[in-house]
Amino acid sequence: MAPGVARRARQRVRILPLAGARSRSAEDWWWDRLAPSGSGYHLLQSDSMLLVLPGPGPARPRAQRRAASRTQRLRLHGARAAVAKAKPRTAPAPAPAPQQEPDPGWGDRIPLEILLQIFGLLVAADGPIPFLGRAARVCRRWHEAASQPALWHTLTLSPPLAGRPAKSGTKTEKKLLASLEWLMPSRFSQLQRLTLIHWKSQVHPVLKLVSESCPRLTFLKLSDCHGVTPDTLIMLAKACPQLHSLDIQHSMVESTAVVSFLEEAGPRMRKLWLTYSSQTTAILGALLGSCCPQLQLLEPGPRSQVLRLLNLMWLPKPSGRAMTPGPGFPRLEELCLASSTCNFVSNEVLDRLLHGSPHLRLLDLRGCARITPAGLHDLPCQELEQLHLGLYGISDRLTLAKEGSLLLTQKWCHTLQELDLSGQGFSEKDLEQALAAFSGTPGGSHLALCSLNLRGTRVTPSTVSSVISSCPGLLYLNLESCRCLRRGLKRAYRGPEEVQWCLQQLLTSLPPPS
């Protein structure tokens, strides 16, 4: 080798780093660079340098280098494995469980019979609207269940009423009527109770649909409805053979329409609600003419259980010929003719109403100053439990009966539970004889009297103490404004303790027997 070439080779060798720190690719690069194949030189690795020597090198020098490098890598890997073994192993974290999403088809798997029972409970609590309309949009199975006519047995229909003008109200009713034209045949075939509220112009078309599609209708209520004609009610009475209850309170219905309806459906009518007007007399005349033998309730009737005619201005027309009385109300249990003003209800009127009512339990005639004890005594009811004859604020300008109260207590002393004689003009002697009927049996164990109102009467202390002693079940006693009692006792007593206190006060104030 020339001296210049050897010197340059030695300079290159001096600046070479350690071979052990080289990667395999770097060693190959230096090998090809310093001692290429066929050049007549070879590399010799010593402790701190690489020597480029002339002549052929040892056999397979590259394979040996590769083996040494592989050994070094294995040693390094073993050291790392030892360090890893020295560290405690932690269990791998469990994979998070996938969240179960709701089954979108659970509603379709509920049997139809179960859905009907569930929907029936909800409808019974809150009505079919709006629940059934919303449930029908859940899925096909719910739509099928919500469409069953058996769930649509009670319905209330009312157009929106938020300050609507007349024209827009009519348009709204027509839109609702258009919906009812397809709802009635498909949903309401088993409708039993229908309430119409605030219908002003489309009552007749709606009731026509009802008569065509709802043969099982039993109850109809018209509240604040206009335009109800006789033809409408007659059509409904003929098409609905099970209709037995009609409520037309607060609606503009002519008396001729009601009378025509009662003539058609009267034999099966049980309940009738009316609002008193100048036309009520004609309706009552039809009822007294025995057109409704099954009536159980009449509120403004012959199976009638409740008859309320509050503030009734009864103006009977005189008849030139004798009238044959009808059967009346054979099942009537309650009659209320109470009035806050003077009325014309007399013994004759009362007899026409009650001549066929042997089962009467309650009779409220407050304000009926023309009713006399003799007229009450002739009534056919034998087990009257509540009798109210109080006169409130109208007795000063009337001539009241001073005798006859004994006729009342003798007839019903064993059944009366409540007796109201407030404001009546019976004398002290008459009241003493009447109330003595409650002390006919020693101890009074069989007497049911629990409420006695003697407000404003001439009852005496001895009479009151006798009644309290004879009626141990007395819970209410009103002695307000009783002119024969001393001050401090003229008040209402509620409860057995107060009633007994009143008795003690009366006994201490009574003069000793001579």
Side-chain angles (χ1 to χ4, degrees):
M1 177 180 298
V5 175
R7 186 169 56 254
R8 286 194 296 273
R10 285 193 299 269
Q11 292 176 355
R12 294 172 183 168
V13 171
R14 289 192 187 101
I15 63 175
L16 288 177
L18 294 176
R22 305 288 180 180
S23 62
R24 180 181 178 184
S25 60
E27 292 178 1
D28 294 340
W29 183 85
W30 282 110
W31 178 272
D32 295 333
R33 182 73 174 175
L34 297 176
S37 177
S39 61
Y41 295 93
H42 67 277
L43 289 177
L44 178 62
Q45 182 178 1
S46 64
D47 295 336
S48 59
M49 67 182 65
L50 286 175
L51 299 177
V52 181
L53 301 176
R60 302 180 62 184
R62 185 174 296 181
Q64 292 177 0
R65 289 195 304 272
R66 292 177 179 176
S69 177
R70 188 182 301 110
T71 303
Q72 186 177 3
R73 288 197 302 272
L74 291 176
R75 290 177 181 175
L76 181 61
H77 179 72
R80 291 177 180 175
V83 173
K85 286 183 179 180
K87 295 181 179 180
R89 291 188 177 182
T90 58
Q99 297 182 355
Q100 295 183 356
E101 298 181 357
D103 186 2
W106 66 270
D108 291 332
R109 292 196 292 270
I110 300 179
L112 183 62
E113 296 78 8
I114 303 299
L115 274 181
L116 288 177
Q117 293 183 14
I118 297 174
F119 287 3
L121 295 175
L122 295 173
V123 168
D126 301 326
I129 296 177
F131 167 71
L132 290 181
R134 295 171 178 173
R137 290 178 286 186
V138 173
C139 60
R140 292 184 178 180
R141 176 62 61 87
W142 284 39
H143 182 275
E144 181 183 2
S147 303
Q148 297 297 319
L151 296 175
W152 298 86
H153 53 76
T154 303
L155 187 64
T156 299
L157 299 176
S158 175
L161 193 66
R164 59 179 186 180
K167 292 184 178 180
S168 63
T170 302
K171 185 181 297 184
T172 303
E173 291 184 15
K174 289 183 178 180
K175 289 183 179 179
L176 186 54
L177 179 63
S179 301
L180 293 176
E181 289 179 354
W182 66 268
L183 278 174
M184 285 285 183
S186 60
R187 300 287 194 277
F188 304 156
S189 60
Q190 299 186 24
L191 186 65
Q192 299 178 10
R193 299 176 63 89
L194 175 63
T195 300
L196 301 180
I197 305 177
H198 305 312
W199 287 79
K200 306 300 183 182
S201 62
Q202 302 297 320
V203 176
H204 179 78
V206 172
L207 293 182
K208 184 179 179 181
L209 288 175
V210 172
S211 62
E212 294 174 353
S213 306
C214 307
R216 299 187 180 184
L217 190 69
T218 61
F219 172 85
L220 175 64
K221 180 178 180 179
L222 304 177
S223 180
D224 193 22
C225 295
H226 298 189
V228 182
T229 62
D231 296 338
T232 302
L233 291 181
I234 292 176
M235 171 185 62
L236 197 65
K238 292 181 178 180
C240 302
Q242 301 181 22
L243 181 61
H244 58 69
S245 300
L246 177 64
D247 186 348
I248 53 176
Q249 287 183 332
H250 313 296
S251 291
M252 298 181 63
V253 184
E254 297 181 359
S255 61
T256 55
V258 180
V259 171
S260 301
F261 173 81
L262 294 178
E263 291 175 351
E264 179 66 31
R268 63 175 184 268
M269 289 300 295
R270 298 180 183 177
K271 299 181 181 180
L272 179 63
W273 289 265
L274 303 172
T275 298
Y276 172 74
S277 67
S278 59
Q279 302 176 351
T280 308
T281 304
I283 301 174
L284 293 178
L287 294 173
L288 293 174
S290 70
C291 69
C292 300
Q294 304 295 323
L295 197 65
Q296 294 180 352
L297 183 147
L298 172 62
E299 187 171 341
R303 205 159 191 154
S304 176
Q305 295 179 349
V306 179
L307 174 58
R308 298 190 182 101
L309 303 171
L310 304 180
N311 289 325
L312 175 65
M313 297 298 295
W314 189 288
L315 299 174
K317 297 180 179 180
S319 178
R321 57 179 181 177
M323 297 180 61
T324 303
F329 308 99
R331 298 195 178 185
L332 186 68
E333 295 183 1
E334 297 183 17
L335 173 62
C336 179
L337 298 177
S339 174
S340 58
T341 59
C342 180
N343 58 35
F344 294 90
V345 178
S346 60
N347 293 336
E348 180 184 0
V349 173
L350 195 63
D351 180 68
R352 290 183 61 186
L353 290 172
L354 299 178
H355 72 276
S357 306
H359 304 292
L360 193 69
R361 295 287 186 272
L362 184 149
L363 182 58
D364 190 349
L365 300 174
R366 286 173 291 182
C368 300
R370 288 175 170 80
I371 299 295
T372 64
L376 293 172
H377 185 267
D378 294 336
L379 296 179
C381 48
Q382 300 295 328
E383 297 182 354
L384 195 65
E385 297 176 356
Q386 301 181 38
L387 178 60
H388 302 275
L389 299 175
L391 301 177
Y392 298 91
I394 63 174
S395 59
D396 296 338
R397 57 183 181 270
L398 296 174
T399 301
L400 304 177
K402 298 183 180 299
E403 299 179 352
S405 59
L406 179 60
L407 297 176
L408 307 178
T409 55
Q410 281 183 342
K411 184 173 183 177
W412 295 307
C413 64
H414 299 294
T415 60
L416 274 178
Q417 299 178 8
E418 298 182 14
L419 178 61
D420 181 5
L421 298 176
S422 60
Q424 291 289 344
F426 301 120
S427 63
E428 296 90 335
K429 185 66 174 179
D430 192 76
L431 284 175
E432 181 180 358
Q433 294 176 355
L435 297 180
F438 292 105
S439 58
T441 301
S445 57
H446 66 291
L447 299 177
L449 188 66
C450 59
S451 176
L452 180 60
N453 191 344
L454 300 174
R455 180 180 181 273
T457 62
R458 294 184 175 89
V459 65
T460 60
S462 58
T463 303
V464 175
S465 60
S466 176
V467 171
I468 296 177
S469 301
S470 303
C471 302
L474 196 62
L475 301 177
Y476 175 79
L477 178 62
N478 194 338
L479 300 178
E480 296 176 351
S481 304
C482 292
R483 63 197 68 177
C484 297
L485 300 180
R486 65 178 177 85
R487 291 182 180 181
L489 296 178
K490 300 178 182 181
R491 67 181 185 89
Y493 300 89
R494 296 174 175 86
E497 294 82 6
E498 294 188 6
V499 173
Q500 292 301 318
W501 181 87
C502 176
L503 176 61
Q504 295 175 4
Q505 297 299 316
L506 289 172
L507 293 178
T508 55
S509 63
L510 289 176
S514 56

